[in-house]
Amino acid sequence: VGEREIAGQLNRSLAAARLAGQGSGFHNALQTAVGRTVKKVQRLTVWRHHGRGVHSLALEELQRHLQACGVGQVRPTVVVVGMGEIGRKIAGLIGSIAKCKVIRVNRTVGADRKQEVKPLSDLPRLLPQADALVVATGARDPVVDLNVMRLPVRDKPTLVMDLGAPAQVSGYHQAHIRYCGLDDLLSLPTVAPDDAESGHVLELVEEGLREFVLECRKREW
C-alpha cells in the first residue's frame, strides 16, 4: 500500500537534492537502480494491479463509515485538512466517487485559491458542518486539537481520519469521535498478491540491489 507514492517521493527527493547541489554520483546511481527496479516490477509482475495508495484506502473506509451511519441518504460534508499530494487526491476522490460535499482546508492559502481553499483558522467554524474529518498535513506537531476545535455530538460517532506521520490530531479520545490513524488504516484487510508473486518481486529487488552494489564497487565507493 502506498508503494507508488513512496517511489515517487524518493525520486523527487533525489532530484531536489541534485538541484540544491547536494547530489552526488552515489545518489545518481541509486536513483538509476531504484528506477530500473520499479519499472521491472511493474512490467514483469502483477503488482502493477495492486498500486493502492493511502488515498484509496481512506476513501474506502470513509464510504464504509458513512454507510454504517446511514448518512448516505443525504449529501454528507467532509472537511479535508492539508492540500499536499495525498490531501488533494483524497479530496478529489471524496467529491467525485463518494459524492460528498468537500471543504478543503490548508495551513497556508495563496491569494489565487481563496475561493476553493479555506485557511486553518476557519476550521473551528467549519467543523460543526462535518460528517467526517480527514487530516493529511505534513506538520511535525498536531495541527488539530479536538479539545479546542469541537466536533458536534451526534447519534453516531464522527469519523476522524488522521493520515499524518507523526499524528496530526490530538484530543480525539472522546465518545462521539471515531478515530482512525494511519496505522489503523494500513492494518485493514487488502487484496494482496500471492506468495509466489511476492517472491518474484523480492528476486527483482535483490537483483537491483546487486547491480547497485556492483556499481559502487566499480567506482570504489
Side-chain angles (χ1 to χ4, degrees):
V1 172
E3 183 278 330
R4 291 183 183 182
E5 284 89 348
I6 293 168
Q9 287 168 5
L10 174 61
N11 193 55
R12 288 193 296 275
S13 296
L14 289 167
R18 189 162 54 248
L19 284 172
Q22 299 296 321
S24 67
F26 176 87
H27 292 105
N28 295 340
L30 176 63
Q31 189 168 16
T32 298
V34 170
R36 186 183 296 126
T37 300
V38 169
K39 286 177 182 176
K40 283 183 181 178
V41 169
Q42 291 176 343
R43 189 177 72 250
L44 301 175
T45 76
V46 300
W47 273 48
R48 64 185 177 276
H49 301 306
H50 295 272
R52 304 169 74 210
V54 169
H55 54 283
S56 57
L57 288 181
L59 174 68
E60 291 168 14
E61 184 59 20
L62 174 69
Q63 289 176 305
R64 279 193 292 266
H65 175 82
L66 293 177
Q67 186 175 19
C69 292
V71 183
Q73 288 85 9
V74 294
R75 191 182 181 203
T77 297
V78 180
V79 175
V80 179
V81 180
M83 287 293 105
E85 182 178 357
I86 293 178
R88 291 196 307 273
K89 279 186 179 181
I90 291 173
L93 289 173
I94 291 172
S96 61
I97 297 178
K99 306 300 182 186
C100 296
K101 176 185 176 183
V102 181
I103 301 177
R104 294 165 169 83
V105 177
N106 202 39
R107 288 177 292 169
T108 57
V109 181
D112 57 333
R113 301 188 67 198
K114 287 186 177 179
Q115 295 299 318
E116 56 179 300
V117 180
K118 306 297 182 186
L120 188 61
S121 58
D122 282 1
L123 188 58
R125 177 179 61 81
L126 298 170
L127 281 181
Q129 309 171 42
D131 294 295
L133 171 66
V134 180
V135 183
T137 70
R140 295 181 180 180
D141 298 302
V143 295
V144 178
D145 184 351
L146 294 177
N147 288 319
V148 178
M149 305 181 192
R150 297 192 173 275
L151 282 163
V153 178
R154 298 190 174 97
D155 293 337
K156 301 283 187 178
T158 300
L159 176 64
V160 174
M161 276 197 287
D162 181 357
L163 308 181
Q168 309 291 293
V169 178
S170 61
Y172 54 81
H173 296 291
Q174 302 179 45
H176 64 289
I177 294 173
R178 183 187 158 223
Y179 178 81
C180 180
L182 190 58
D183 288 340
D184 300 316
L185 201 61
L186 296 178
S187 68
L188 295 172
T190 59
V191 179
D194 60 30
D195 290 344
E197 191 66 19
S198 298
H200 186 195
V201 170
L202 289 175
E203 287 173 5
L204 292 171
V205 172
E206 290 295 336
E207 179 183 305
L209 178 60
R210 284 194 298 271
E211 290 177 0
F212 176 61
V213 170
L214 181 61
E215 185 68 18
C216 290
R217 287 176 177 166
K218 283 197 310 188
R219 302 194 190 198
E220 297 183 345
W221 287 333

